[in-house]
């Protein structure tokens, strides 16, 4: 009986150690350089030019190792995107706050550098602007890709580009695009 309990405890300890090596959790935060692009950016019969805004993102990550050089990295982020609009002396800023869920395939080129690519679903949580229109779509789908650098076993930095595939607005054919630079820690 004692041998059975000892063997069970040993298997549980080994299993927990192996599980800890297969899944890592972490947090990350960083800057967004976001813009909206499209062929028809017209509001109240006026054509507008957009320029990028600087904002932020922050959230949780998980890295699930499949093999040594490949893992899946789902994330849960709060990310602000949008643009600044200008037309005939009139200017306003449109900030969209999203709950973004990227699920990335992560290919480790070596112990330091990785390539990340995958889809991202985003759900609108807030819309802040200095004009009286709430016309953002509540769902945004994008493809994201970038590079990751492991500074240590726990610290990392990432650079990423996200290209929106669905319209961000109900009234205009505009899509989100964002460059993200972030740093984080894995536990």
């Amino acid at each position: 009986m004692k041998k059975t309990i000892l063997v069970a405890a040993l298997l549980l300890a080994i299993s927990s150690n192996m599980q800890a090596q297969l899944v890592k959790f972490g947090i990350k935060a960083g800057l967004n350089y976001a813009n909206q692009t499209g062929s028809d950016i017209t509001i109240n019969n006026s054509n507008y030019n957009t320029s990028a805004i600087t904002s932020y993102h922050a959230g949780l990550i998980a890295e699930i190792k499949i093999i040594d050089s490949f893992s899946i990295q789902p994330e849960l982020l709060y990310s602000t995107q949008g643009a600044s609009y200008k037309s005939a002396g009139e200017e306003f800023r449109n900030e969209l706050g999203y709950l973004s869920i990227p699920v990335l395939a992560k290919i480790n080129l070596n112990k330091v550098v990785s390539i990340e690519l995958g889809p991202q679903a985003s759900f609108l949580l807030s819309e802040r602007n200095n004009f009286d229109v709430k016309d953002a779509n509540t769902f945004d789908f994008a493809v994201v890709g970038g590079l990751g650098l492991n500074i240590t076993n726990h610290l990392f930095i990432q650079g990423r580009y996200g290209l929106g595939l669905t319209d961000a607005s109900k009234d205009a054919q505009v899509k989100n695009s964002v460059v993200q630079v972030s740093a984080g820690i894995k536990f």
Side-chain angles (χ1 to χ4, degrees), residues 71-136:
S71 56
I72 303 294
Q73 183 169 304
E75 300 178 357
L76 185 63
L77 305 172
Y78 180 78
S79 179
T80 56
Q81 299 178 31
S84 178
Y85 289 81
K86 296 177 187 173
S87 174
E90 184 182 12
E91 182 176 349
F92 61 88
R93 182 178 169 113
N94 188 21
E95 263 186 38
L96 305 172
Y98 288 103
L99 176 65
S100 297
I101 307 169
V103 179
L104 306 172
K106 186 173 181 178
I107 301 167
N108 298 311
L109 300 177
N110 54 40
K111 291 186 180 204
V112 176
V113 180
S114 62
I115 297 174
E116 305 163 352
L117 180 66
Q120 173 177 284
S122 297
F123 302 92
L124 185 67
L125 297 178
S126 66
E127 181 176 6
R128 288 187 336 187
N129 49 45
N130 52 355
F131 61 103
D132 197 22
V133 177
K134 300 287 185 192
D135 74 335

Side-chain angles (χ1 to χ4, degrees), residues 2 10 18 21 23 30-32 38 41 46 48 55 68 70 79 85 92 104 115 121 128-129 147 156 158 161 184 187:
K2 288 181 183 179
L10 184 62
M18 287 177 60
Q21 292 176 359
V23 179
L31 294 175
N32 288 351
I41 302 175
S46 297
Y48 285 84
S55 57
D68 281 341
F70 181 77
S79 179
Y85 289 81
F92 61 88
L104 306 172
I115 297 174
R128 288 187 336 187
N129 49 45
L147 290 174
F156 64 90
Q158 295 173 326
Y161 177 73
F187 308 106

Side-chain angles (χ1 to χ4, degrees), residues 11-41:
L11 287 175
L12 182 61
I14 292 171
S15 169
S16 296
N17 189 28
M18 287 177 60
Q19 193 73 358
Q21 292 176 359
L22 296 178
V23 179
K24 291 182 179 179
F25 295 98
I27 57 173
K28 72 180 235 181
L31 294 175
N32 288 351
Y33 186 71
N35 203 350
Q36 292 181 326
T37 58
S39 59
D40 182 23
I41 302 175

